[in-house]
Amino acid sequence: MGSFRTDALRLLALAVVLAAAPFVLPNNYYLTVLTMCCLHAIIAVGLNLLVGHAGQISLGHAGFYGLGAYTTAVLTATLGLPAPVGLAAGVLAALAVAFLVGVPALKLTGHYLAMATLGFGIILSILFNETVDLTGGPSGFTGIPRLTLLGYTFASDLSYYYLTAAVLCLATLLALNLLHSRLGRALRALHTSEKAAQAMGVDVARFKLFVFVLSAGFAGLAGVLYAHFLTFIAPASFGFSFSVELIVMVVLGGMTSLLGSVLGAFFLTVLPEFLRVFENVEVLLFGLILVLCMLYLPGGLAGGLAALTERLRRTALERTRSREAADD
């Protein structure tokens, strides 16, 4: 991990790119895709804290994503409560359920923890499908209002994109601050060895539970924003396959890089859109590209980008030295 200043400059560069992106997009469809990229990246940032830095595997984060979405949908569309209430309730629901699940589940490690969170995700998926009177069941939940905050309604796709982009940057900044604090060092110690961390005075159970609940809160927040963006949600969006996809985003982006997880989320969200022209072989090409990335970018997209930057820097330096030697 680099210094906080370096990471902050990279985040600033990301913010500039996100701010300028709508001006080069050909139509609103791509703006919708970019908004979905930001939503997935918010979850990936939280999951990176849990998986990449604390070393705890979760296959149930799609459930927290859905929990946030359905909570705000029921409160705002069915009960008619204000959107800020739905937003707060969606995040709090994800935090509370994560706490209740995390207390027993985080006593497990490795594959056992993955299976426990997988079971939780499947239970939530079944509930979303079976509680038809509350969630609409397989047919989905309609009539969710657009998000209104401080009297302003994010009615246009452009305004909603900038909202999600701002939330992504703020969530990433929060995570960076956390990682460059004492808590971040404790999480990395957990990843290396729980026994060694405990011997050095780290409260293993408390830190594991904290990062699990925090990452679930990120997913719940993304779920709330997702529900008010599409104004329609269905259980299929929060299934096991999406939980796996989230893990792939983190691994592909770079396990130890928060901004790498953002890159991984954008890459995996945008890639299927480019592969649609191949129709029947779309899935095969998608899998092949992922395999090649894993083989030739062991450090993830962030590691590959850093290596490329370093190579270009060395090449430029060698050319400068050669030019100076020739002048002498």
Side-chain angles (χ1 to χ4, degrees), residues 134-305:
L134 186 64
T135 66
S139 300
F141 194 113
T142 60
I144 305 169
R146 278 284 192 160
L147 191 63
T148 300
L149 295 174
L150 302 176
Y152 178 79
T153 301
F154 295 88
S156 69
D157 289 345
L158 182 62
S159 65
Y160 211 94
Y161 162 71
Y162 278 122
L163 172 65
T164 56
V167 172
L168 169 61
C169 291
L170 290 174
T172 307
L173 181 60
L174 172 64
L176 284 174
N177 272 290
L178 186 149
L179 288 179
H180 286 279
S181 68
R182 178 178 177 274
L183 177 59
R185 293 190 290 273
L187 293 181
R188 291 192 291 278
L190 282 178
H191 194 175
T192 304
S193 171
E194 290 188 14
K195 292 182 179 180
Q198 191 169 24
M200 295 300 294
V202 175
D203 189 336
V204 172
R206 184 166 66 91
F207 280 112
K208 285 169 65 175
L209 182 61
F210 172 80
V211 73
F212 183 74
V213 171
L214 179 63
S215 66
F218 277 39
L221 175 59
V224 171
L225 295 174
Y226 172 77
H228 289 289
F229 174 57
L230 292 185
T231 68
F232 169 83
I233 53 177
S237 302
F238 314 113
F240 167 67
S241 60
F242 185 62
S243 285
V244 174
E245 189 175 338
L246 290 171
I247 292 290
V248 175
M249 289 176 186
V250 174
V251 175
L252 181 63
M255 290 281 283
T256 59
S257 172
L258 283 174
L259 293 175
S261 292
V262 174
L263 290 177
F266 274 64
F267 182 78
L268 278 189
T269 306
V270 170
L271 183 59
E273 303 301 324
F274 286 102
L275 296 180
R276 290 190 192 281
V277 295
F278 296 101
E279 297 180 351
N280 295 333
V281 295
E282 174 189 347
V283 176
L284 292 176
L285 287 175
F286 184 78
L288 178 62
I289 290 172
L290 288 184
V291 169
L292 290 175
C293 286
M294 294 298 185
L295 287 175
Y296 294 102
L297 295 173
L301 295 176
L305 187 61

Side-chain angles (χ1 to χ4, degrees), residues 94-119:
L95 293 173
V97 172
F99 180 83
L100 294 175
V101 171
V103 170
L106 290 172
K107 293 179 181 179
L108 305 172
T109 57
H111 300 92
Y112 298 104
L113 175 60
M115 294 303 292
T117 55
L118 169 61

Side-chain angles (χ1 to χ4, degrees), residues 32-52:
T32 299
V33 173
L34 207 54
T35 302
M36 294 304 301
C37 287
C38 291
L39 293 175
H40 293 168
I42 293 170
I43 312 173
V45 167
L47 199 56
N48 181 275
L49 292 174
L50 180 67
V51 178

Side-chain angles (χ1 to χ4, degrees), residues 33-95:
V33 173
L34 207 54
T35 302
M36 294 304 301
C37 287
C38 291
L39 293 175
H40 293 168
I42 293 170
I43 312 173
V45 167
L47 199 56
N48 181 275
L49 292 174
L50 180 67
V51 178
H53 290 85
Q56 310 301 310
I57 301 174
S58 172
L59 292 175
H61 265 54
F64 297 120
Y65 183 48
L67 190 61
Y70 275 106
T71 299
T72 191
V74 171
L75 292 179
T76 56
T78 303
L79 301 181
L81 295 177
V85 175
L87 191 155
V91 176
L92 287 174
L95 293 173

